[in-house]
């Protein structure tokens, strides 16, 4: 079940220092929100680290994600939208 996968990803990220939470969106998809970025200092100079993070999450969940916001680009969090399918 996708919700279980998203919840597990958020739990693992929290264990790694990302202060992560997730929520189900009204249209049935999900959002993963990271309130902290342990690699922020590096990501500001090397944005490809954010691209690798996105690819890793897509590989883990088996679905394309949309990154809506990043801390390294001045956002208040890193936020990913995940489709329900």
């Amino acid at each position: 079940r996708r919700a279980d996968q998203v919840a597990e990803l958020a739990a693992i990220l929290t264990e790694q220092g990302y202060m992560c939470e997730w929520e189900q969106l009204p249209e049935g998809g999900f959002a993963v929100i990271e309130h902290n970025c342990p690699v922020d200092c590096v990501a500001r100079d090397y944005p490809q680290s954010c691209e690798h993070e996105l690819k890793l999450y897509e590989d883990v969940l088996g679905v394309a994600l949309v990154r809506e916001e990043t801390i390294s680009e001045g956002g208040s969090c890193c936020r990913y939208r995940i489709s329900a399918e």
Side-chain angles (χ1 to χ4, degrees):
R1 214 180 106 203
R2 177 82 60 220
D4 294 335
Q5 291 176 311
V6 172
E8 182 66 20
L9 176 62
I12 291 168
L13 291 173
T14 293
E15 289 173 7
Q16 298 300 312
Y18 286 84
M19 295 173 52
C20 189
E21 64 180 338
W22 70 281
E23 62 187 18
Q24 187 153 14
L25 301 173
E27 76 277 0
F30 303 91
V32 170
I33 304 104
E34 300 169 345
H35 296 285
N36 183 47
C37 179
V39 297
D40 179 42
C41 293
V42 173
R44 289 179 190 268
D45 291 332
Y46 300 97
Q48 60 268 37
S49 62
C50 295
E51 293 304 317
H52 289 293
E53 181 178 85
L54 174 66
K55 178 71 172 125
L56 173 65
Y57 298 169
E58 289 178 335
D59 288 348
V60 166
L61 296 174
V63 66
L65 278 69
V66 175
R67 186 176 33 239
E68 298 179 321
E69 185 175 359
T70 65
I71 293 169
S72 67
E73 294 179 347
S76 62
C77 66
C78 292
R79 181 178 177 92
Y80 297 91
R81 187 169 24 96
I82 304 157
S83 70
E85 297 298 315

